[in-house]
């Protein structure tokens, strides 16, 4: 029986500086999946005009994210790296999904509520429809696995809802065209054109918190630069930010449970674990009972050791924008072939007249 080919897809927006949360929650996972999977990694420039229309240097930001992908170890020849806007099938499928998804589904998205703030009437229509474009990014390749940080979980559930509704609403046409694929959902065997994509939210750092407030996510948009470690920060800046990171006066606990009511300590232990590919348990086994005056310098040293080579490689790659553009062009051409194969069938399923 045919089933969906395993395929990994993920995207990062070209807005703001990449930080440690993006690296540990997403990019490091992207790198790890390359050995076992066929992967497509996308700089999602269409998404970045949803919250803010005009950007000073969208092209430069797009190249910087691409350089970060490459510097972190993504192989653009074995896999695909490209920017979203050059493969117009993303926008085409997003339109169709705008007609599949319900307004109520979009209104429930916490990222929309956060980004739209109090004045929802004044948010762009694109910001509301954002998850429909995200579903299209994934499903235009019929991707089966999506590595992301914890904050994207709800969007991936919505992606499954869109795939399910499309598969159900068009089940007769999909059957007539023989375009369906069998898949297992829970204990059930179902048939559909789009897979029900699995989120991959893995590792010890799926939600890296701000260095200034252990209850807030580390984010590109935090006004305080001390709240995050940027991938481009130099060694002194990294060390300074870790030294200034908010903590409590207690030493690190000797048991994992001791981190429960201590979000800042928990975050720093999670970062150490993420950067060293170790479990939180093993970090606590090494540093339990130690003061932050011991742990913070060790963490700073580790962060510099892991991040400085990426920053310098990023700078090297960005000095050659023609190379970066060639990577994106080549990736875009290969992505478009796959996306068009999906869209040809989608157009037939819906009944659009074409060649
Ligand atoms: P964005 O910066 O929103 O485009 O996010 C790019 C990727 O990084 C997504 O997979 C996010 O889930 C992930 N990400 C963003 N912030 C964090 C964070 N603080 N901790 C872990 N993952 C994150
Ligand atoms: N919404 C994601 C974020 O803000 C970015 C994104 C867009 C994405 N399309 C995607 C992630 C498809 C995974 C798959 O981080």
């Amino acid at each position: 029986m045919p089933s969906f080919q395993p395929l990994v897809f993920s995207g990062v927006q070209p807005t703001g500086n990449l930080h440690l949360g993006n690296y540990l929650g997403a990019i490091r996972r992207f790198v790890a999946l390359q050995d076992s999977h066929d992967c497509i990694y996308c700089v999602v420039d269409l998404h970045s005009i949803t919250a803010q229309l005009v950007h000073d240097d969208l092209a430069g930001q797009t190249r910087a994210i691409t350089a970060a992908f490459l510097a972190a170890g993504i192989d653009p020849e074995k896999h695909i790296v490209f920017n979203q806007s050059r493969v117009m099938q993303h926008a085409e499928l997003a339109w169709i999904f705008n007609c599949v998804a319900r307004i109520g589904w979009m209104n429930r998205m916490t990222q929309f509520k956060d980004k739209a703030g109090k004045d929802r009437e004044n948010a762009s229509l694109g910001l509301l429809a954002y998850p429909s474009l995200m579903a299209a990014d994934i499903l235009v390749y019929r991707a089966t696995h999506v590595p992301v940080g914890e904050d994207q979980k709800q969007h991936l559930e919505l992606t499954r809802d869109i795939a399910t509704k499309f598969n159900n609403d068009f089940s007769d046409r999909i059957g007539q065209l023989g375009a369906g694929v069998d898949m297992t959902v829970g204990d059930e065997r179902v048939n559909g054109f789009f897979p029900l994509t699995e989120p991959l939210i893995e590792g010890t750092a799926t939600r890296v918190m701000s260095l200034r407030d252990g209850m807030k996510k580390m984010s590109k948009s935090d006004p305080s630069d001390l709240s995050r470690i940027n991938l481009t920060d130099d060694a002194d800046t990294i060390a300074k930010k870790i030294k200034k990171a908010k903590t409590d006066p207690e030493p690190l606990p000797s048991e994992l449970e001791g981190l429960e009511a201590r979000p800042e300590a928990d975050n720093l232990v999670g970062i150490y674990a993420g950067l060293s590919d170790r479990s939180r348990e093993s970090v606590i086994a090494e540093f339990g009972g130690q003061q932050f005056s011991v742990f913070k310098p060790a963490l700073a040293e580790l962060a510099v050791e892991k991040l400085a080579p990426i920053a310098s490689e990023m700078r090297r790659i960005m000095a050659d924008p023609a190379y970066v553009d060639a990577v994106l062009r080549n990736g875009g051409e290969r992505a478009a072939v796959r996306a068009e194969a999906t869209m040809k069938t989608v157009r037939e399923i819906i009944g659009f007249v074409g060649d």
Side-chain angles (χ1 to χ4, degrees):
M1 224 181 294
S3 59
F4 289 102
Q5 287 288 330
L7 174 67
V8 167
F9 180 95
S10 196
V12 175
Q13 295 194 51
T15 13
N17 281 334
L18 281 176
H19 54 70
L20 189 61
N22 299 128
Y23 178 62
L24 292 177
I27 297 173
R28 202 171 157 82
R29 316 302 310 163
F30 299 178
V31 175
L33 284 160
Q34 296 183 110
D35 290 336
S36 51
H37 288 78
D38 183 14
C39 304
I40 303 180
Y41 296 126
C42 185
V43 185
V44 289
D45 47 9
L46 294 174
H47 275 97
S48 60
I49 59 169
T50 56
Q52 181 192 330
L53 180 58
V54 181
H55 294 261
D56 284 346
D57 186 16
L58 187 59
Q61 296 271 6
T62 300
R63 294 187 183 107
I65 303 286
T66 309
F69 282 0
L70 304 178
I74 291 171
D75 180 340
E77 283 169 20
K78 284 209 190 92
H79 301 277
I80 292 180
V81 173
F82 73 108
N83 59 312
Q84 185 187 27
S85 59
R86 67 198 312 148
V87 179
M88 64 212 176
Q89 287 84 352
H90 288 241
E92 183 185 0
L93 186 57
W95 175 257
I96 292 165
F97 287 170
N98 280 344
C99 302
V100 173
R102 311 285 94 184
I103 294 174
W105 300 1
M106 300 295 169
N107 275 324
R108 282 196 288 277
M109 293 294 111
T110 52
Q111 184 171 303
F112 172 67
K113 290 190 231 173
D114 288 350
K115 287 200 180 171
K118 287 203 185 68
D119 192 7
R120 248 195 240 188
E121 292 290 306
N122 200 31
S124 78
L125 196 50
L127 190 67
L128 181 65
Y130 178 113
S132 174
L133 177 60
M134 177 160 163
D137 297 338
I138 298 164
L139 295 176
V140 83
Y141 304 101
R142 302 210 280 170
T144 55
H145 295 88
V146 179
V148 280
E150 177 69 39
D151 60 345
Q152 295 301 311
K153 196 168 171 213
Q154 195 185 29
H155 286 157
L156 291 177
E157 283 160 9
L158 189 95
T159 300
R160 292 167 70 98
D161 292 342
I162 289 177
T164 302
K165 183 162 161 59
F166 184 96
N167 288 342
N168 290 340
D169 290 359
F170 289 106
S171 62
D172 291 349
R173 301 275 304 154
I174 293 169
Q176 283 158 17
L177 291 165
V181 172
D182 287 317
M183 58 190 136
T184 311
V185 179
D187 315 323
E188 252 185 292
R189 289 296 284 171
V190 297
N191 183 280
F193 180 69
F194 287 119
L196 302 189
T197 304
E198 300 279 347
L200 297 176
I201 301 173
E202 293 172 335
T204 48
T206 55
R207 190 172 168 81
V208 176
M209 308 308 278
S210 156
L211 297 180
R212 306 299 297 163
D213 177 352
M215 305 304 279
K216 259 176 42 188
K217 199 177 67 165
M218 184 177 287
S219 120
K220 289 170 177 171
S221 55
D222 195 310
S224 165
D225 196 53
L226 283 175
S227 71
R228 65 183 157 259
I229 293 175
N230 302 304
L231 279 193
T232 47
D233 282 344
D234 60 27
D236 288 348
T237 310
I238 294 174
K240 184 183 85 186
K241 287 179 176 175
I242 291 177
K243 193 166 171 216
K244 293 202 167 188
K246 189 177 160 202
T247 43
D248 52 44
E250 302 296 315
L252 283 172
S254 45
E255 303 291 330
L256 211 52
E257 294 74 57
L259 288 173
E260 268 162 27
R262 299 174 62 188
E264 283 86 14
D266 184 58
N267 189 38
L268 295 185
V269 169
I271 292 173
Y272 195 103
L275 282 171
S276 58
D277 266 327
R278 285 164 56 180
S279 64
R280 279 183 151 74
E281 284 88 344
S282 105
V283 177
I284 284 296
E286 183 179 343
F287 290 99
Q290 303 271 14
Q291 299 289 345
F292 282 104
S293 55
V294 175
F295 182 62
K296 279 181 167 181
L299 178 60
E301 194 183 324
L302 174 68
V304 169
E305 177 197 320
K306 298 287 177 180
L307 301 180
I310 300 177
S312 74
E313 183 63 3
M314 244 180 104
R315 274 192 293 276
R316 193 187 67 79
I317 294 169
M318 277 197 296
D320 188 358
Y323 167 70
V324 176
D325 289 6
V327 165
L328 293 174
R329 186 180 320 113
N330 174 275
E333 283 166 4
R334 285 150 59 218
V337 172
R338 298 194 193 193
E340 180 54 20
T342 303
M343 286 317 296
K344 204 166 174 309
T345 310
V346 168
R347 292 178 207 120
E348 269 183 85
I349 291 171
I350 297 177
F352 293 145
V353 176
D355 294 329

